[in-house]
Amino acid sequence: MDLNLRNKIAIVTGASRGLGFATALLLAQEGARVAINSRNPENIEMASQKIYHLTGTPVLPIAGDVSQSETAQRVIEKVAQEWGGVDILITNAGGPPAGKFESFSLEDWQNAVNLNFISAVTLIQAALPYLRKSAAPAVLTVTSISVKQPIDGLVLSNSVRAATIGLTKSLALELGKDGIRFNSILPGWTSTERVEQLLHHRAKTNNSTIEEERQKIASQTALGRLADPQEFARVAVFLVSPAASYLTGSMIAVDGGFYRGTF
Ligand SMILES: NC(=O)c1ccc[n+]([C@@H]2O[C@H](COP(=O)([O-])OP(=O)(O)OC[C@H]3O[C@@H](n4cnc5c(N)ncnc54)[C@H](OP(=O)(O)O)[C@@H]3O)[C@@H](O)[C@H]2O)c1
């Protein structure tokens, strides 16, 4: 199947490593021009060189914190200036810290809202004029399976990501007739640096080892293991590709059967 991504202009934020990087790499392998973002200028530059060496496709690295609205707008404008438009936007960033409700201040809540919700709002707002001009526009928000089944010790993430689901579904309905598709992936446990940090936090809290914590999580999934970031990326790249032209407003769990409900 041809995903029809050749020369499409794609933006992936939070993409120096983990889910974002795996997705940007696969988009480039499919022939898309990819702009990638993360906060650390050296890391995003290194990630862009890695993608270029592996694919020969031009990559545009843009450093900046997407939880700050001006940065989110700057990322979109830079891509539009350099490449003349935007076809695909994948809103992604880091996750909020782990911890229990009583350990967080109002400022922690505000930071989580800015990181995982307002970033998506501002990126989409800034990209919309360009998406309207695209022949195959698509937006993918990266949220978490925790919106369906809250995860212990992640109250900030469990709460804030639900707002992004509301945004994604509302925009799918509001802008579907303009031809713009909006979907979300709800990743389950995927082996990235973020998950290594969470395992470390759990091992410390439970007085156990990281390996024991990894096994506990694996045993909660139907497939009995954590995902590899490429398993997330393959679904993400399909969802934003013209091959998924009749898919919008879908919240797709890529969780190895972690979620135990029937729907
Ligand atoms: N992995 C999982 O199992 C899983 C499951 C459910 C949900 N998620 C969510 O999916 C997202 C990606 O997860 P991941 O595991 O790939 O995380 P990760 O390994 O921590 O990678 C996060 C990426 O985002 C960048 N980043 C962090 N904060 C940013 C910001 N404010 N602005 C721009 N870039 C930022 C990081 O680079 P810099 O440090 O250079 O900014 C890095 O490239 C997170 O929101 C995570 O909570 C992950």
Side-chain angles (χ1 to χ4, degrees):
M1 179 173 59
D2 184 0
L3 295 181
N4 227 330
L5 282 163
R6 199 145 293 281
N7 292 325
K8 293 277 181 298
I9 298 166
I11 302 174
V12 188
T13 60
S16 65
R17 62 176 196 231
L19 305 182
F21 177 79
T23 306
L25 174 59
L26 190 52
L27 280 166
Q29 283 168 336
E30 290 293 322
R33 283 177 281 172
V34 188
I36 56 173
N37 147 272
S38 84
R39 291 165 304 179
N40 184 303
E42 282 163 24
N43 291 352
I44 200 65
E45 180 60 40
M46 265 164 50
S48 111
Q49 284 176 17
K50 204 163 157 189
I51 295 174
Y52 181 69
H53 286 310
L54 289 169
T55 65
T57 313
V59 184
L60 181 60
I62 309 171
D65 179 347
V66 291
S67 69
Q68 295 177 359
S69 301
E70 324 76 69
T71 308
Q73 285 158 1
R74 179 169 58 78
V75 169
I76 303 290
E77 290 307 327
K78 172 101 176 136
V79 178
Q81 267 169 20
E82 292 279 329
W83 287 341
V86 178
D87 299 304
I88 291 164
L89 171 64
I90 300 183
T91 70
N92 179 50
K100 290 196 185 284
F101 179 73
E102 285 169 300
S103 67
F104 293 121
S105 65
L106 200 52
E107 193 186 353
D108 295 323
W109 280 93
Q110 196 59 60
N111 289 341
V113 169
N114 288 339
L115 179 64
N116 293 120
F117 177 57
I118 297 298
S119 61
V121 173
T122 4
L123 285 163
I124 295 168
Q125 255 180 352
L128 208 48
Y130 304 105
L131 293 169
R132 284 187 183 284
K133 292 184 191 147
S134 164
V139 176
L140 179 71
T141 58
V142 178
T143 52
S144 171
I145 195 61
S146 69
V147 301
K148 293 182 84 149
Q149 182 171 297
I151 296 175
D152 287 351
L154 286 181
V155 65
L156 292 173
S157 177
N158 295 343
S159 309
V160 170
R161 291 181 197 280
T164 308
I165 294 292
L167 173 74
T168 309
K169 190 73 184 179
S170 302
L171 294 182
L173 295 170
E174 200 172 307
L175 295 165
K177 293 204 175 54
D178 297 342
I180 310 174
R181 297 184 302 108
F182 289 83
N183 293 294
S184 189
I185 294 189
L186 287 49
W189 290 96
T190 313
S191 298
T192 64
E193 276 190 40
R194 157 116 178 128
V195 164
E196 285 308 310
Q197 286 157 11
L198 292 176
L199 291 175
H200 187 261
H201 180 266
R202 284 187 173 199
K204 224 169 124 190
T205 312
N206 299 335
N207 199 17
S208 63
T209 67
I210 290 179
E211 247 351 277
E212 280 167 347
E213 294 301 325
R214 198 189 316 276
Q215 280 317 313
K216 275 190 219 164
I217 287 167
S219 70
Q220 289 165 17
T221 68
L223 294 178
R225 63 178 178 84
L226 277 68
D228 185 277
Q230 281 93 327
E231 293 180 293
F232 168 92
R234 287 196 288 270
V235 182
V237 168
F238 169 69
L239 282 174
V240 296
S241 78
S245 53
Y246 204 57
L247 252 174
T248 197
S250 293
M251 311 302 154
I252 312 274
V254 181
D255 70 338
F258 170 79
Y259 173 62
R260 300 194 76 87
T262 40
F263 296 101

